[in-house]
Amino acid sequence: MREILVALAGSPNVGKSTLFNRITGGNVHVANWAGVTLQRYEGSVSYSGRRLRIVDLPGTYSLSARDLGEKVALDFIINERPDVLVIVVDATELKKSLYLAVEAMELYEKVVIALNMIDAADRRGIHINFDGLERGLGVPVVPISALKGIGIGKLMRAILEVAEGRAGRKEPLRVDYDGLERYIAKLSGLDHGNYPARWAALKVLERSLPPKDQEAESICEEARRDLAIDPLSLIIASRHEFVDKIVRENVKRVKVSGPSLEERLDKLILHPLFGPIVSIFLISSAFFIIFTVNTGFPFNILLRALGMEEASEVIESYSLVGLLGSLFEMLAGASADFLSSIGLDPLWVRFISEGVIGSLGALLSFVPILILTYIVLGALEDSGLFPRAATVLDSIFRKFGLSGRAFFPALIGIGCNVPGIIATRGMEDERERIVVGISEPFIPCQARLVVLLAISLAAFPSPLIQASLMLSIYMLGVLIFLLSSKLLRTIMGWREPTELLMELPPYHRPSLRVIWWYSKANVIHFLKKAGLIILFMSSLTWLILNIGPSGYVEDPSHSFAFMLGNALTPILSLAGLGDWRYALALEVGFIAKEGILSTFSQLAGSPDPVSAIRYMGITPLKGISLALIMSFYVPCLATISTMLSELRKLKYVALAVILELSVSFILASISYNLGLALGLS
Amino acid sequence: MLPLSELKRGSKGRVVSIAAGHGATRRLMEMGLIPGETVEVLSNYFGPVVVRVRGVTFALGRGLASRVLVEVIE
């Protein structure tokens, strides 16, 4: 039997995603819309013997094809001609959410309206005459609560009825555009390709679609001249009037509430002084808590600074990544024993136990932070706090050609750049997303913090200087992140981002269930997409480090990696680090930055990374140089893989790597040579 | 008549005209900022201006707000 194609459309914040998850039961597949970085969610479900494929269209306020999401949604409806278009509207905000519904029904007839949040509407004393709405719009209107699972069966039945042509409209909705009608009629007579004639005529008058020929152009001119008003404003106003009339006739409010909790909260959150402080504090605390659960950072650093070394280690080893690490160490050991016992060649034993299982462990160590980040981000977005924080921080980020939404990737990047790059999805502007994604690795992550800490301890005796070195690297990182975003926009010749225009939806309690579904689907997507690249690249790097011209080598100084390191030494000597061992450590750090310390330990034969770095003959000047290079030289493998799977173009990844390499070497060389000139060592 | 960006927090105005680019004008109108509609300013300091129109709250950048002309009601 043929599959029924169902598309979900709706404005942002009407609960469309919740409904999507409710219908598909979390059986969701994540992909990208062709050619763009926008996520595409798809799922399938069986209902009363029929197979339904459900596609979640991007949330949009209209269908004018001016921005990416609108274009994707519009193209899908026109080209795929879904069997049913479900338009989700918010029963508590009918005036707002019916606008898109009306526009969509003017385009397409096979529509079912899902009147969501009906429970909340009841509670607020909003009474809706469903039959009246159905009559007024000519399509089935089904009251539901996606969150509570109310009315879903009825909605599914309505979907089947419309799919089978037993209910719903036979042709698109006609809104009365009064004085414009004669121009619409004239334009409808022309050829509009795939588009329905009346709809295309409206879009041409709105100037959302370009006039096809001279004739269309002159009809538009005529309309503009005769009416002495922009047709755009007339069309939009008529749609709003159509919505107002339907709402007036079918909705009664019995309760009028006084200033709500919401208004009082908004007074605080949107306050010019307290707003940024409160939102930064709330959001940062949320992330620092999940960072701590994940690896112990930054709580472990705090404890260590207070001299509580042991407590700090306990936190680290019982953190999620700590536990995963021990598990994979056990696995690697057990598999090595097993493989040796069956007489496998030592090279293969070590390749499988260290190279492959080690890489798998490294890959899985990203899973907890990804899930946690998705949960917190989802909760922030869902609760309504996210757009408010982005609003109050907007003017700061504007100075660097970014919008307030850039705050999230920057903040999350402190924990780990991988979820930081993924968090750029919250941005509406595709270009801003690319610019921030490329600049993200300049934010020092916690893996680099660990290395930075060891370098500062090794190179400087005074705790004050150690702390100021670390703090300066962080401030420098954030500054370069901002400057690089600005610079990239200029290089690419992209205009400043369009001005902020963002709805601040009512605060509400986030649905954990939906957030969990999304986190799960996206983490699986990450493992499939970025995971394979990470596994492959890190196994390859392991081979370079452990194989030389003579085959498998115990001592890294006979490996291919050593030869490569030797070749890099002359460049590194510009920054005072002309020693193959630094080069080798930096190569290992490409897999994961923590690897730098274990390489130093291995080379020095000392388990303590601080004394291992001292053994390298580090001086304060070289320490600063190493700190600069290590912090900014190249994103780690996982970050690069994520950048590739999120930004989807190799040239952006190449740009990021080149930018980082040059910035780090230039900074380190300048600081080293300046120091030498000043007579420091 | 004043640009929307000049309205103080808590005051109300009636939209007279919007003189922004085509895309931005369309978006503002879709959000409900159509000539004749009443707009209430919820927050207006140095950053974006937060307004409520037709029951919807949204933030718009200062530059954008300065291109919306309103007639002050109260």
Side-chain angles (χ1 to χ4, degrees), chain A residues 481-559:
Chain A
F481 165 80
L482 293 171
L483 291 176
S484 140
S485 307
K486 179 105 183 153
L487 179 77
L488 284 169
R489 244 184 209 282
T490 321
I491 293 177
M492 311 252 204
W494 289 345
R495 282 179 300 124
E496 296 285 297
T498 47
E499 272 200 84
L500 180 84
L501 181 54
M502 185 163 49
E503 192 198 345
L504 306 182
Y507 294 98
H508 55 79
R509 197 169 345 141
S511 154
L512 275 179
R513 196 166 142 164
V514 174
I515 292 168
W516 172 243
W517 275 332
Y518 269 100
S519 311
K520 209 174 64 179
N522 276 300
V523 168
I524 292 170
H525 178 63
F526 166 80
L527 289 176
K528 275 193 209 150
K529 276 275 178 171
L532 280 177
I533 314 175
I534 297 176
L535 272 187
F536 174 74
M537 290 290 286
S538 55
S539 304
L540 194 72
T541 316
W542 186 91
L543 284 174
I544 294 176
L545 285 166
N546 290 275
I547 291 185
S550 58
Y552 174 69
V553 291
E554 277 288 338
D555 179 357
S557 63
H558 299 298
S559 66

Side-chain angles (χ1 to χ4, degrees), chain A residues 366-410:
Chain A
F366 285 102
V367 170
I369 184 75
L370 282 177
I371 295 184
L372 291 168
T373 307
Y374 275 121
I375 291 177
V376 173
L377 268 184
L380 285 173
E381 180 84 68
D382 221 24
S383 65
L385 198 62
F386 187 111
R388 286 171 172 83
T391 301
V392 290
L393 296 169
D394 196 67
S395 36
I396 306 170
F397 283 92
R398 284 284 152 187
K399 297 192 172 58
F400 300 92
L402 297 171
S403 74
R405 288 181 176 253
F407 171 64
F408 293 89

Side-chain angles (χ1 to χ4, degrees), chain A residues 280-584:
Chain A
I280 291 177
F281 176 78
L282 270 177
I283 294 164
S284 308
S285 329
F287 278 105
F288 284 138
I289 290 170
I290 64 163
F291 291 164
T292 302
V293 173
N294 187 48
T295 57
F297 161 86
F299 203 51
N300 56 349
I301 304 281
L302 192 73
L303 286 174
R304 202 159 280 159
L306 294 171
M308 296 159 83
E309 198 72 29
E310 273 173 38
S312 156
E313 270 165 30
V314 169
I315 286 192
E316 280 169 25
S317 53
Y318 283 97
S319 67
L320 294 174
V321 168
L323 292 171
L324 257 176
S326 331
L327 179 72
F328 270 87
E329 233 164 72
M330 256 168 53
L331 266 179
S335 66
D337 290 346
F338 171 73
L339 293 170
S340 311
S341 74
I342 60 167
L344 202 67
D345 182 66
L347 166 63
W348 284 104
V349 172
R350 294 207 40 198
F351 176 64
I352 293 172
S353 65
E354 287 174 21
V356 177
I357 296 186
S359 310
L360 198 64
L363 173 62
L364 289 184
S365 69
F366 285 102
V367 170
I369 184 75
L370 282 177
I371 295 184
L372 291 168
T373 307
Y374 275 121
I375 291 177
V376 173
L377 268 184
L380 285 173
E381 180 84 68
D382 221 24
S383 65
L385 198 62
F386 187 111
R388 286 171 172 83
T391 301
V392 290
L393 296 169
D394 196 67
S395 36
I396 306 170
F397 283 92
R398 284 284 152 187
K399 297 192 172 58
F400 300 92
L402 297 171
S403 74
R405 288 181 176 253
F407 171 64
F408 293 89
L411 175 72
I412 294 164
I414 294 174
C416 175
N417 287 176
V418 169
I421 289 176
I422 293 175
T424 58
R425 281 183 199 164
M427 294 171 160
E428 267 163 38
D429 179 17
E430 173 111 344
R431 290 170 165 182
E432 180 174 9
R433 205 183 158 194
I434 292 166
V435 160
V436 171
I438 294 176
S439 311
E440 177 75 21
F442 284 117
I443 304 281
C445 65
Q446 57 172 318
R448 280 174 271 175
L449 176 69
V450 175
V451 186
L452 188 59
L453 190 68
I455 297 174
S456 331
L457 290 177
F460 293 99
S462 137
L464 189 67
I465 300 182
Q466 291 163 2
S468 26
L469 174 65
M470 300 204 319
L471 196 65
S472 335
I473 293 276
Y474 266 80
M475 293 191 347
L476 192 63
V478 173
L479 186 69
I480 304 177
F481 165 80
L482 293 171
L483 291 176
S484 140
S485 307
K486 179 105 183 153
L487 179 77
L488 284 169
R489 244 184 209 282
T490 321
I491 293 177
M492 311 252 204
W494 289 345
R495 282 179 300 124
E496 296 285 297
T498 47
E499 272 200 84
L500 180 84
L501 181 54
M502 185 163 49
E503 192 198 345
L504 306 182
Y507 294 98
H508 55 79
R509 197 169 345 141
S511 154
L512 275 179
R513 196 166 142 164
V514 174
I515 292 168
W516 172 243
W517 275 332
Y518 269 100
S519 311
K520 209 174 64 179
N522 276 300
V523 168
I524 292 170
H525 178 63
F526 166 80
L527 289 176
K528 275 193 209 150
K529 276 275 178 171
L532 280 177
I533 314 175
I534 297 176
L535 272 187
F536 174 74
M537 290 290 286
S538 55
S539 304
L540 194 72
T541 316
W542 186 91
L543 284 174
I544 294 176
L545 285 166
N546 290 275
I547 291 185
S550 58
Y552 174 69
V553 291
E554 277 288 338
D555 179 357
S557 63
H558 299 298
S559 66
F560 285 124
F562 165 75
M563 295 164 65
L564 183 63
N566 235 355
L568 292 174
T569 311
I571 309 170
L572 278 171
S573 64
L574 285 176
L577 302 172
D579 182 329
W580 68 271
R581 292 174 298 178
Y582 288 120
L584 183 71

Side-chain angles (χ1 to χ4, degrees), chain A residues 62 64 66-67 70 93 96 206-207 233 236 240 244 263 267 270 272 391 499-504, chain B residues 9 22 26-27 29-30 34 43 45-46 48 52 54-64 67:
Chain A
S62 82
S64 299
R66 297 291 297 211
D67 75 15
E70 290 181 1
E93 302 271 4
K96 176 191 91 188
E206 276 180 18
R207 279 182 295 151
S233 123
I236 296 179
H240 278 306
D244 285 350
E263 279 166 26
K267 249 183 201 159
L270 298 174
T391 301
E499 272 200 84
L500 180 84
L501 181 54
M502 185 163 49
E503 192 198 345
L504 306 182
Chain B
R9 184 170 72 89
H22 179 257
R26 185 181 59 85
R27 175 109 315 156
M29 287 182 171
E30 282 163 0
I34 32 182
S43 160
Y45 302 96
F46 45 81
R52 176 147 52 210
R54 293 169 59 86
V56 183
T57 305
F58 59 94
L60 65 165
R62 283 212 89 70
L64 208 50
R67 288 190 285 274

